[in-house]
Amino acid sequence: MHTPGTLFTGIGQLVTNDPGVRSLTGTARLGIVEDAALLVTDGVVTWVGPAASLPTAEAAALAVADAEVVDLEGAAVIPGFVDSHTHLVFGGDRAAEFEARMSGQAYTAGGIRSTVAATRAATDAELAARLDGFVTELLAQGTTTFEIKSGYGLTVADEARLLELASRVTDETTFLGAHVVPVEFAADPEAYVDLVVGNMLDACAPHARWIDAFCETGAFTPEQSRRILEAGTARGLGVRLHASQLSAGPGIRLAVELDAASVDHCTYLTEDDIAALAGSSTVATLLPGVEFSTRQQFPDARRLIDAGVTVALASDCNPGSSFTSSLPFCIAVAVRDMGMTPAEALWSATAGGAAALRRADVGHLAAGASADFVALRAPSYVHLAYRPGVPLAAGVWRAGARVA
Ligand code: NIG
Ligand code: FE
């Protein structure tokens, strides 16, 4: 039966990310409406605009149907965050590695193997309970869409079970069998790549929407990465790639060549990388939690944005390089240390994340979009960066239903 809908009123400032014009920069791209109202029917936004201009027909229909009205009492409302890069199915943690790093040790790709050992040792029930806890944590902070990668199993059975667990909580699942070469294949990495593109891909493709690889010294070469990503494409998976996290290399250009939806990290950028990204539909996903937690240089978001590259911000939540699930934290760091304005950072953590997942239904609040939004305990979105570390999500709705 058609429901009358719910009218959200008392929105002091509404960020729609719907400026009507794609190329606007600065705050204009947020499509802000002051003193706004939002009408939600069957989980979808059906009208948005200044409260005073709610069409008479809609207002009358709502009154007749005795529709629910929710007064948000002047709060700023933003689209739900879209976290396009996480690794949330794993066992153990690496607090000791973090502590050693903060005493001067460098981050290397090899640390992944200790999480692989802990993950293989964990039962499905243990991994699922942990994952459920992370989902609660994400929702409470306003993240309503999230991607999850495998990559801490690295056997056919373990990668498949991680993806099966992830697919219970999100449609955005990514097969990352090529995270690092596991110890048992250390003497013959090519044999591991054969396994990834063979039996492992067979077992994992049914549970995955995307394929990813870690193209970096200490992980996979550009040639190996290309082979793995092309095998995924042949199975109908979309492409994403971890590249240029620890040093510059050809990974970003490889991602663009393969029409990846996103290339992630982009910490070390060359002029050629930026030119390639600027002429492409590949999003550059920046992960401020990584540089924060590994004490590396931050990527230069300003250079990318000024060149016309679409930038997303994501958490990369994982036990090694970035154990935060908070996109408000990432926004604050991106504004402080990566040359982004508060408006650009918010756009990148919402609409940018949606672009990185090639999703048109989330990351914005226009008629037809999923009703995913966050009421902030603040009068303006600027507070996300202005009040770092303060939990500002007062209420969170996904597909029109309150989830936190
Ligand atoms: O995105 N770069 C590769 N993978 C993760 C790190 C995983 C780990 O250290 O466990 C990342 O940073
Ligand atoms: Fe990652």
Side-chain angles (χ1 to χ4, degrees):
M1 198 191 83
H2 182 72
T3 51
T6 303
L7 184 67
F8 293 85
T9 59
I11 302 172
Q13 179 190 66
L14 177 65
V15 173
T16 66
N17 285 342
D18 183 30
V21 182
R22 273 198 76 77
S23 61
L24 287 174
T25 54
T27 55
R29 69 160 73 182
L30 295 184
I32 289 174
V33 183
E34 307 286 348
D35 297 321
L38 188 68
L39 181 59
V40 175
T41 309
D42 297 331
V44 173
V45 176
T46 44
W47 183 85
V48 54
S53 62
L54 180 67
T56 330
E58 252 91 350
L62 288 169
V64 168
D66 200 16
E68 187 188 7
V69 177
V70 178
D71 182 355
L72 295 174
E73 299 176 345
V77 169
I78 60 170
F81 296 117
V82 179
D83 193 345
S84 60
H85 184 147
T86 81
H87 307 245
L88 292 175
V89 199
F90 61 86
D93 76 29
R94 299 196 344 239
E97 179 188 311
F98 175 78
E99 189 172 42
R101 204 156 60 234
M102 294 305 111
S103 319
Q105 273 182 28
Y107 175 82
T108 66
I112 293 169
R113 293 195 186 96
S114 69
T115 298
V116 169
T119 304
R120 287 176 179 175
T123 64
D124 285 3
E126 286 165 348
L127 294 173
R130 190 99 183 267
L131 177 58
D132 288 345
F134 287 131
V135 171
T136 302
E137 199 175 290
L138 289 167
L139 293 172
Q141 296 172 96
T143 298
T144 47
T145 302
F146 45 88
E147 179 262 21
I148 300 179
K149 300 174 198 298
S150 66
Y152 290 120
L154 311 187
T155 65
V156 172
D158 281 304
E159 284 296 296
R161 81 179 176 120
L162 300 193
L163 284 165
E164 199 277 315
L165 289 166
S167 65
R168 295 182 194 177
V169 298
T170 184
D171 294 335
E172 299 295 344
T173 51
T174 301
F175 169 46
L176 180 59
H179 200 183
V180 75
V181 176
V183 271
E184 61 274 20
F185 282 90
D188 191 1
E190 286 304 326
Y192 183 66
V193 176
D194 290 343
L195 179 66
V196 170
V197 302
N199 290 349
M200 200 182 278
L201 180 59
D202 287 342
C204 291
H207 306 293
R209 177 169 183 226
W210 304 97
I211 188 156
D212 193 347
F214 185 16
C215 181
E216 194 82 47
T217 304
F220 294 87
T221 66
E223 294 72 27
Q224 292 168 335
S225 301
R226 173 192 292 278
R227 188 174 162 217
I228 291 158
L229 298 177
E230 286 178 344
T233 305
R235 294 295 296 262
L237 303 182
V239 172
R240 345 185 46 78
L241 185 65
H242 285 68
S244 301
Q245 174 184 354
L246 303 173
S247 60
I252 292 174
R253 277 156 287 151
L254 174 65
V256 169
E257 186 195 325
L258 298 179
D259 190 32
S262 177
V263 57
D264 299 41
H265 287 285
C266 301
T267 308
Y268 294 89
L269 287 161
T270 66
E271 285 303 325
D272 285 350
D273 292 336
I274 293 173
L277 284 165
S280 80
S281 55
T282 299
V283 172
T285 298
L286 309 182
L287 309 164
V290 173
E291 284 73 36
F292 183 91
S293 304
T294 58
R295 282 210 182 126
Q296 276 190 277
Q297 68 167 61
F298 287 95
D300 190 345
R302 186 78 268 134
R303 244 169 109 203
L304 288 165
I305 292 171
D306 289 347
V309 176
T310 301
V311 170
L313 288 175
S315 71
D316 196 7
C317 188
N318 77 79
S321 64
S322 177
F323 201 5
T324 181
S325 56
S326 168
L327 280 174
F329 168 76
C330 294
I331 287 172
V333 174
V335 168
R336 169 65 177 75
D337 288 308
M338 289 161 46
M340 297 182 90
T341 66
E344 288 164 345
L346 173 58
W347 189 92
S348 293
T350 51
L357 293 172
R358 298 204 167 152
R359 290 275 298 266
D361 58 330
V362 296
H364 65 115
L365 293 168
S370 182
D372 298 358
F373 56 94
V374 186
L376 299 179
R377 209 173 284 110
S380 154
Y381 73 88
V382 178
H383 283 229
L384 290 164
Y386 176 46
R387 306 205 63 211
V390 179
L392 293 180
V396 183
W397 285 261
R398 184 164 65 177
R402 183 133 189 198
V403 290

